[in-house]
Amino acid sequence: EALRYDRVLCDVPCDGSGTLRKSPEKWGKWGVRAGLRHHPTQLAILRRGVALLRAGGTLVYSTCSLDPVQDEAVVLAALAADSSLELLAPDDAFDAETLRHLRWTPGLRSWRVAHPDFDASNGEMFDRWEDVPAALRATDGGDGVALHQTMFHDGHHGTDAFPDGAPFLDRCVRLLPTDDDCGGFFVAVL
């Protein structure tokens, strides 16, 4: 029998866009491709974390990114793949005193996905997976900068799990940078 854990933390690698305010030297390294490259790895880590979680356990998924492709999209894909998962509301995930002191906004319910060559493509973005040209779609042998179906909020994710979208994504927590000494952070408690 596989070893399972009561608690799992998936603090995944990300593009660090939430830390740009406190670490301006990162601006030169940041780009659209970085976020797109991280998405498949983030999803793989989250799925592994779920596989290690015992029934009734708690998993925290976090990034220091504010990019929904690295945040809500990863959480949505995991929820679509495993109906036993539940995304906790902030009131259930954090004690009242902690939540009172955090400066945060709810997770996003929808977002657009940027073209891998966003700057060169004149800022092209996609609302739905169906809008993505075949040449930009990820294949098993892709280089990590192609677009994946799991990056989109449109509820397709290979299942009919959320035919009406995913309004529950507002249960995610986006911690906002409040001064020069702090950064943005994303947290989802499953």
Side-chain angles (χ1 to χ4, degrees):
E1 187 174 325
L3 184 61
R4 302 274 193 252
Y5 296 90
D6 295 331
R7 294 181 182 102
V8 174
L9 171 62
C10 296
D11 185 23
V12 300
C14 66
D15 69 357
S17 59
T19 65
L20 293 174
R21 181 178 180 166
K22 72 175 189 171
S23 304
E25 69 279 1
K26 291 185 177 185
W27 274 108
K29 299 175 190 171
W30 181 87
V32 169
R33 285 178 167 256
L36 297 175
R37 267 194 197 101
H38 284 297
H39 177 86
T41 301
Q42 294 164 330
L43 184 53
I45 292 169
L46 180 53
R47 287 179 173 158
R48 178 65 177 146
V50 168
L52 294 172
L53 189 65
R54 74 161 177 80
T58 302
L59 182 147
V60 174
Y61 175 82
S62 62
T63 73
C64 58
S65 175
L66 296 177
D67 177 3
V69 169
Q70 299 175 69
D71 298 337
E72 287 91 348
V74 175
V75 171
L76 180 60
L79 290 165
D82 188 337
S83 63
S84 70
L85 292 175
E86 176 187 358
L87 181 59
L88 296 181
D91 291 342
D92 297 326
F94 302 95
D95 66 74
E97 185 66 14
T98 299
L99 202 55
R100 187 172 69 81
H101 290 288
L102 295 177
R103 187 168 180 178
W104 63 281
T105 62
L108 302 176
R109 294 179 178 195
S110 64
W111 54 89
R112 302 178 82 199
V113 179
H115 188 291
D117 295 318
F118 182 76
D119 294 331
S121 72
N122 296 317
E124 186 175 12
M125 298 186 80
F126 304 99
D127 291 308
R128 301 173 324 138
W129 173 247
E130 290 79 15
D131 299 336
V132 177
L136 294 178
R137 293 182 177 202
T139 61
D140 290 337
D143 67 357
V145 294
L147 302 184
H148 296 259
Q149 187 173 2
T150 54
M151 293 176 172
F152 292 82
H153 65 84
D154 62 7
H156 293 282
H157 300 288
T159 71
D160 293 325
F162 310 113
D164 298 324
F168 54 81
L169 286 174
D170 62 1
R171 296 178 187 170
C172 297
V173 172
R174 293 173 152 270
L175 298 165
L176 305 175
T178 56
D179 59 42
D180 290 338
D181 294 330
C182 70
F185 209 66
F186 174 86
V187 180
V189 181
L190 302 138

